[in-house]
Amino acid sequence: MPCSFSIQYSGGRSSTVHVGPGVVDGLPDLWRTAWREAAIIGDANVIALHGEALAGKLRIRGMRVEVIGFPPGEGQKTRVTKEKLEDELLGRRLDRESCIVAVGGGISLDVAGFVAATYLRGVPYINVPTSLLAQVDAAIGGKTGVNTEQGKNLIGAFHQPSMVLVDSRFLITLPPEEWGNGLSEMVKHAVIADRDLFQRIEARAEELRTPVSIDEKLLQRCVEIKAAIVQADEREAGRRRVLNFGHTLAHGLEHAQGHAISHGRAVAIGMVLEARVACSLCGFPAEEEQRLRRLLLYLGLEIHPPSLPFDRLLPFLAADKKRRGGTLHLALPSRIGEMAGAEDGYAVAVPLDLVQSASEMRGCSRRGPP
Ligand code: GLY
């Protein structure tokens, strides 16, 4: 059964979220009359698959719909791509009464959302995530942006989507690699917020390994977790930091590898490394660290860092240090379902040598059921 709810932000802003198979078919009815034109934006692969189908749904309303693609890949998530998209929109004379429909995985949503944040000083947009990873993470919470040479997502804006349509039918054609990326983020949601969800993922791990269909209840729960966190702390002053569990080291790995490793895979490795640090610093039980590793392995995710000397990660971690008063801070769990450091805004100060020893340890590599 589809479900709908609203995320409330300060100043009366809100995002309406619809989750369920087929919710995208409701787009023409959900469309607001104030939005007189539409631009559908996504990477070229996604636009080839879904662009015209989405446009067709909106053209039923008798309005102009432009469909604009950009080259796929993390390497295209740049200011140059954003500028080209803006020039396209200006060239096609989309005005302030337009609404952007961002369609695709995290890269498409981040870039199209950033364009929406600044085009004509900001226009509304709708997120239509087509990957599992984007459905449980990037589509919710209004973080938009692009990468630079210095790191991921360093230039961007908070700009909340007016609507998010999480339609599990898009997942049917998802490649296995993409599926694993989403599973990794679902496990993260469970570790940071919901012990029961972790057990449910463990119980369904066998079927989750195959990208055939998703348990709608698991998907809904992950979307709800993300929504509750961003509603509590839109600008990442505290609680929202818990979403970074596994991500600081993941971003370092991705950056050091020139994005040769996918985000979800890097997050799985990052979670395992950060869980080891949590064992030392936050009383995260060693048996729960084993449980986490077993689940990730069984879901088909690699958990050992690629042969990457720690000193390749250091510049990235040092840059992160600078951004937070000279000390590296991580979001770390105290047990599955609970995060440490609530009193310090969920940012635990971590000595670099502890990260180094965590990254040098080898652990469980058993691939049996969790
Ligand atoms: N993806 C992390 C966040 O939305 O804060």
Side-chain angles (χ1 to χ4, degrees):
M1 274 291 284
C3 80
S4 302
F5 59 91
S6 179
I7 311 174
Q8 303 294 331
Y9 298 104
S10 60
R13 293 167 304 124
S14 66
S15 298
T16 314
V17 183
H18 304 272
V19 191
V23 291
V24 159
D25 293 340
L27 184 57
D29 296 328
L30 295 166
W31 195 260
R32 298 188 191 157
T33 42
W35 303 333
R36 291 171 358 99
E37 293 179 327
I40 296 173
I41 300 181
D43 78 37
N45 294 337
V46 170
I47 288 296
L49 277 172
H50 306 297
E52 278 309 315
L54 275 173
K57 290 187 205 301
L58 291 176
R59 287 189 187 119
I60 291 169
R61 292 184 61 100
M63 63 182 182
R64 178 162 75 113
V65 183
E66 300 287 344
V67 181
I68 306 171
F70 63 90
E74 188 77 40
Q76 302 296 329
K77 191 177 160 183
T78 61
R79 283 174 280 191
V80 172
T81 298
K82 177 174 182 269
E83 193 178 307
K84 285 184 182 155
L85 289 169
E86 288 159 349
D87 288 344
E88 281 285 339
L89 293 174
L90 290 169
R92 299 185 198 202
R93 301 191 182 283
L94 271 291
D95 66 18
R96 283 218 174 91
E97 294 182 328
S98 311
C99 177
I100 289 176
V101 179
V103 57
I107 296 168
S108 293
L109 304 192
D110 284 6
V111 174
F114 191 22
V115 169
T118 60
Y119 184 69
L120 303 180
R121 298 205 175 89
V123 292
Y125 76 112
I126 295 174
N127 271 338
V128 181
T130 58
S131 72
L132 182 56
L133 178 57
Q135 294 193 343
V136 298
D137 189 28
I140 317 271
K143 273 190 182 174
T144 71
V146 293
N147 304 332
T148 72
E149 301 253 306
Q150 284 76 17
K152 280 179 63 116
N153 302 324
L154 294 182
I155 305 291
F158 284 96
H159 185 47
Q160 295 300 340
S162 300
M163 199 189 300
V164 183
L165 300 175
V166 177
D167 191 331
S168 53
R169 283 189 322 191
F170 286 119
L171 304 179
I172 292 164
T173 52
L174 211 58
E177 171 72 14
E178 269 300 322
W179 185 257
N181 287 333
L183 292 180
S184 173
E185 206 73 34
M186 287 175 72
V187 171
K188 184 204 78 180
H189 282 356
V191 173
I192 64 175
D194 189 339
R195 197 171 176 84
D196 177 57
L197 175 65
F198 193 90
Q199 278 163 355
R200 284 160 61 201
I201 296 175
E202 283 179 325
R204 313 206 78 142
E206 177 64 42
E207 70 193 69
L208 282 170
R209 279 151 61 93
T210 323
V212 181
S213 64
I214 186 86
D215 178 322
E216 292 291 335
K217 290 241 166 351
L218 291 185
L219 180 61
Q220 274 179 20
R221 182 67 196 126
C222 288
V223 174
E224 280 166 12
I225 287 171
K226 174 87 197 249
I229 290 170
V230 300
Q231 177 168 281
D233 174 24
E234 181 187 7
R235 296 280 173 144
E236 202 172 311
R239 175 89 184 133
R240 187 167 180 163
R241 291 195 188 122
V242 302
L243 292 163
N244 292 331
F245 171 53
H247 280 58
T248 305
L249 293 182
H251 285 167
L253 279 173
E254 286 174 86
H255 195 60
Q257 299 242 313
H259 302 295
I261 183 169
S262 68
H263 179 63
R265 311 255 151 191
V267 167
I269 295 169
M271 282 194 287
V272 167
L273 296 183
E274 293 185 17
R276 279 178 194 153
V277 175
C279 287
S280 308
L281 281 185
C282 312
F284 188 67
E287 61 276 13
E288 300 209 347
E289 186 217 335
Q290 290 289 334
R291 229 175 122 187
L292 172 63
R293 282 199 243 170
R294 268 202 305 278
L295 178 59
L296 293 169
L297 272 174
Y298 193 64
L299 292 172
L301 291 153
E302 191 48 63
I303 57 166
H304 295 302
S307 49
L308 181 74
F310 182 73
D311 54 14
R312 297 250 325 263
L313 277 182
L314 261 179
F316 180 86
L317 297 178
D320 195 87
K321 255 171 89 161
K322 270 189 236 107
R323 290 201 288 274
R324 299 211 188 147
T327 311
L328 177 68
H329 287 81
L330 297 178
L332 298 174
S334 51
R335 69 196 283 262
I336 289 173
E338 270 177 38
M339 294 301 278
E343 58 293 347
D344 298 318
Y346 297 96
V348 179
V350 177
L352 279 180
D353 56 354
L354 214 56
V355 180
Q356 175 158 21
S357 46
S359 67
E360 284 164 2
M361 273 165 65
R362 291 265 143 182
C364 165
S365 52
R366 181 166 75 81
R367 279 184 193 268

